Amino acid sequence: MWPKSHLDSTLGFTISYRLRDPVKTLDSTFVHIAGRLKALDDSWIQVIFEAPQLKVGSLEFQYGGESEVKLKITYIDEKIRLGKGSRGSLFVFQRRK
């Protein structure tokens, strides 16, 4: 269950990760995903993702469009939040320090 203080707020997030290059042909390949979390009620949140950005070496571009998913929060504490997507996918969120 969401703490009452989160019910009326929208939280932003960003995820960036480096893709492994098994052939070692590229110096760096990164994917960056940003979005917002919005509480719908005491157990459901809406996650709205912006279009992903891909960086391959010095080239940068966006692909796809905005998307969203609704998650049912199945567990939450001070460090971790577990959710199940409306289509069955599982999500684990860990709080950053």
Side-chain angles (χ1 to χ4, degrees):
M1 180 187 279
W2 281 82
K4 181 68 173 161
S5 61
H6 288 108
L7 292 178
D8 299 319
S9 63
T10 299
L11 306 170
F13 69 90
T14 58
I15 303 168
S16 294
Y17 54 93
R18 184 177 187 168
L19 300 177
R20 292 181 55 200
D21 181 13
V23 185
K24 306 287 187 215
T25 57
L26 301 171
D27 289 335
S28 60
T29 304
F30 291 90
V31 174
H32 176 80
I33 302 170
R36 304 176 305 283
L37 302 174
K38 181 179 180 183
L40 299 175
D41 60 26
D42 64 348
S43 61
W44 285 88
I45 62 171
Q46 180 180 28
V47 183
I48 303 162
F49 297 100
E50 297 173 4
Q53 295 179 326
L54 180 64
K55 181 177 179 183
V56 180
S58 62
L59 299 173
E60 252 183 85
F61 55 94
Q62 286 188 323
Y63 59 95
E66 189 175 272
S67 62
E68 68 178 67
V69 65
K70 292 181 181 160
L71 300 176
K72 180 173 179 126
I73 301 303
T74 57
Y75 176 81
I76 187 171
D77 67 17
E78 293 297 319
K79 295 182 181 181
I80 197 166
R81 176 176 294 139
L82 303 178
K84 185 172 184 178
S86 55
R87 293 183 231 161
S89 53
L90 301 175
F91 293 84
V92 178
F93 299 96
Q94 182 177 2
R95 183 180 299 271
R96 283 183 153 199
K97 292 181 181 183

